[in-house]
Amino acid sequence: MTSTPQPPLLVFTDLDGSLLDHASYDYTPALAWLARLKKDAVPLIINTSKTAAEVMVLHQTLELVSPFITENGASIHLPASWCLDETPDDRGWADIVLGVPYRRIRDVLEAIRSTERFRFRGFGDFSIKEVAEHTGLDSQGAELAHLREASEPLIWEDTDEALERFRLLLIGAGLSLTRGGRFYHVLGDNSGKGRAIAWLVDRYHLLKGRRPMTIGLGDGPNDVAMLESVDRAVLIRGEHDLTINIAETVQLYTTTQKGPAGWSEGLDHWLG
C-alpha cells in the first residue's frame, strides 16, 4: 500500500511579540526551530506590521530566501524565484503594493484630523527620536520604521466614541483600522495579513503545482486575519491585555509562553 504524500508546508509568522521578543527583539529561543525549518527547506514567510526596510535587515540576518509580507499585509515582497510576470529589480526582488499608497493615507488622516479635531498622532507626525521612544528601537531601526509604503501606525489619544467615528470615516475613504500590540494601523481596505497569505498561497500553487499546508503564528489583534487564513494557527501569549477572538472553526493552539519561546512551543505542538 502506498501512502499519500504530505503536502508542502509554508510557515507564516508575525515578528514583534512572536518570533521576536516584545521588548528586546531577541529571537534566541527560536534558533532551534529556525535551523530545522531551514534544514527541511520550509519557507518561513514573515508577515508583520514592520516596513520592508526593517524586515530586509532581519531577512538577511536569518539567511531567508522566502517572500515576506509587510505593513500588515499592505505590501508583498517576492524574490526572483517566486516571480511570474513581475520583473525583479537590481536587488533581485519585486515589490507588490496591495493597499493604498502611504501619501494617500496621510492625506486622508490629515483631512479627518483637521475637520473632526480627533486627537491622534502617527509616524508621519513623529521625529525619528519619537519613533525610537515609542517602539524601543535604536535610532537606525527607527529610521527604517519611518520608511513606510502603504500603512500608518498611530497612537489614539481620544475617546472610544471618537475612535468608532474615526473608523467609520476611514471606511468611507477606502481605508481600514486594525489594532496591533503597540499601535493602531491604518491601511487600505483591500489589503491585510490574511489577503496577503491567500495571494502567496495561490502563487505557490501556480509555481509548484501543489497547494501547501499552512501554519501561522501571531500574538496580536492584527494577526487574527492571518490566523483565520491558515490550516493550523498558533496564538502566542501576548505582553498586552487585549482580547483576541479567533473563529471556532480554526485549528488553534494557544501557547503558555510568550514571544519566541511561545513561537517554538507552537511549532512543537503542530510539527512535533
Side-chain angles (χ1 to χ4, degrees), residues 92-111:
W93 289 85
D95 303 325
I96 300 169
V97 175
L98 298 181
V100 175
Y102 181 68
R103 186 64 260 167
R104 162 68 178 160
I105 293 173
R106 283 297 306 177
D107 287 345
V108 170
L109 290 176
E110 288 165 9

Side-chain angles (χ1 to χ4, degrees), residues 96-174:
I96 300 169
V97 175
L98 298 181
V100 175
Y102 181 68
R103 186 64 260 167
R104 162 68 178 160
I105 293 173
R106 283 297 306 177
D107 287 345
V108 170
L109 290 176
E110 288 165 9
I112 290 176
R113 181 161 51 190
S114 175
T115 57
E116 301 289 335
R117 306 299 182 189
F118 292 144
R119 298 188 304 276
F120 65 84
R121 291 182 297 153
F123 272 33
D125 304 308
F126 292 155
S127 66
I128 298 300
K129 180 180 179 181
E130 288 173 314
V131 171
E133 290 171 351
H134 285 291
T135 60
L137 297 167
D138 59 25
S139 59
Q140 183 178 9
E143 286 187 22
L144 298 179
H146 225 268
L147 299 175
R148 313 206 68 80
E149 295 176 297
S151 73
E152 176 71 327
L154 58 84
I155 295 175
W156 187 254
E157 300 169 327
D158 215 314
T159 65
D160 290 343
E161 291 79 10
L163 179 64
E164 185 55 31
R165 174 159 172 75
F166 177 63
R167 187 190 305 274
L168 293 174
L169 289 169
L170 290 176
I171 292 172

Side-chain angles (χ1 to χ4, degrees), residues 189-209:
D189 63 6
N190 59 338
S191 57
K193 287 190 173 188
R195 293 186 182 185
I197 285 176
W199 195 100
L200 280 174
V201 167
D202 286 344
R203 174 55 58 91
Y204 185 94
H205 193 187
L206 285 170
L207 289 170
K208 305 294 186 180

Side-chain angles (χ1 to χ4, degrees), residues 229-246:
S229 299
V230 294
D231 299 308
R232 296 175 179 176
V234 177
L235 178 59
I236 297 169
R237 182 183 173 195
E239 293 287 349
H240 47 73
D241 58 358
L242 302 173
T243 300
I244 301 174
N245 297 311
I246 308 293

Side-chain angles (χ1 to χ4, degrees), residues 10 12-14 45-49 69-76 98 176 178 187-203 211 214-217 220-231:
L10 300 180
F12 294 89
T13 181
D14 176 49
I45 300 175
I46 292 169
N47 193 356
T48 178
S49 61
I69 301 164
T70 57
E71 299 190 42
N72 281 309
S75 189
I76 297 174
L98 298 181
S176 63
T178 187
L187 60 159
D189 63 6
N190 59 338
S191 57
K193 287 190 173 188
R195 293 186 182 185
I197 285 176
W199 195 100
L200 280 174
V201 167
D202 286 344
R203 174 55 58 91
R211 200 153 195 89
T214 54
I215 292 177
L217 306 98
N222 60 323
D223 293 316
V224 170
M226 172 173 66
L227 299 181
E228 292 182 344
S229 299
V230 294
D231 299 308

